[in-house]
């Protein structure tokens, strides 16, 4: 943007509590590996929002939570995969896009939240067979 003759940049950082309702379609699946796409909606509640303005090598930050809409909902789309690593461990990787569906601010003009998320993690598969249980003071088998 520009104020008078001074160029400036700004950034808004917002933290949300999100509850997703997402469907997942698996394209290829092996016993413990798969590729998938997913999509759905997310209910979102704004916890905090900050505006940072930078001009002439200086910056200023302001809490703008009170000027933003607290509740919103987002469309989300994603792709990902789950990949077998060992007999018990898998690695999951997802890339998601999301966009809000209502005006994010109470000010002039319209603004929407949108972004990307890259998620990764490991999952442990619980074995099908129960692990042997050791007991103390067990009565020996009479046979």
């Amino acid at each position: 943007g520009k104020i008078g003759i001074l160029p400036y940049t700004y950034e808004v950082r917002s933290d949300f509590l999100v509850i997703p309702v997402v469907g997942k379609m698996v394209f290829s699946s092996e016993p413990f590996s798969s590729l998938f796409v997913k999509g759905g909606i997310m209910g979102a509640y704004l916890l905090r929002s900050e505006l940072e303005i930078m001009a002439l090598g200086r910056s200023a930050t302001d809490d703008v939570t009170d000027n933003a809409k607290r509740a919103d909902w987002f469309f989300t789309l994603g792709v990902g995969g789950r990949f077998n690593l060992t007999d018990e461990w898998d690695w999951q990787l997802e890339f998601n896009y999301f966009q809000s569906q209502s005006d994010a601010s109470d000010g002039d003009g319209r603004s929407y939240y949108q972004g990307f998320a890259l998620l990764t993690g490991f999952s442990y598969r619980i074995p099908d067979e129960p692990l042997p249980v050791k007991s103390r003071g067990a009565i020996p088998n009479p046979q």
Side-chain angles (χ1 to χ4, degrees), residues 28-51:
S28 72
S29 181
E30 296 187 18
F32 298 109
S33 297
S34 62
L35 297 175
F36 57 85
V37 296
K38 59 192 229 179
I41 59 172
M42 301 186 306
Y45 181 76
L46 180 66
L47 300 173
R48 184 181 69 148
S49 190
E50 290 181 341
L51 170 68

Side-chain angles (χ1 to χ4, degrees), residues 16 31 69 75 77 86 90 96 100 103 106-107 109 114 125 127 135:
F16 288 92
K69 187 172 283 184
F75 280 134
L77 293 171
T86 68
D90 297 331
N96 297 296
S100 68
D103 192 358
D106 295 335
Q114 68 177 357
R125 276 182 267 112
S135 60

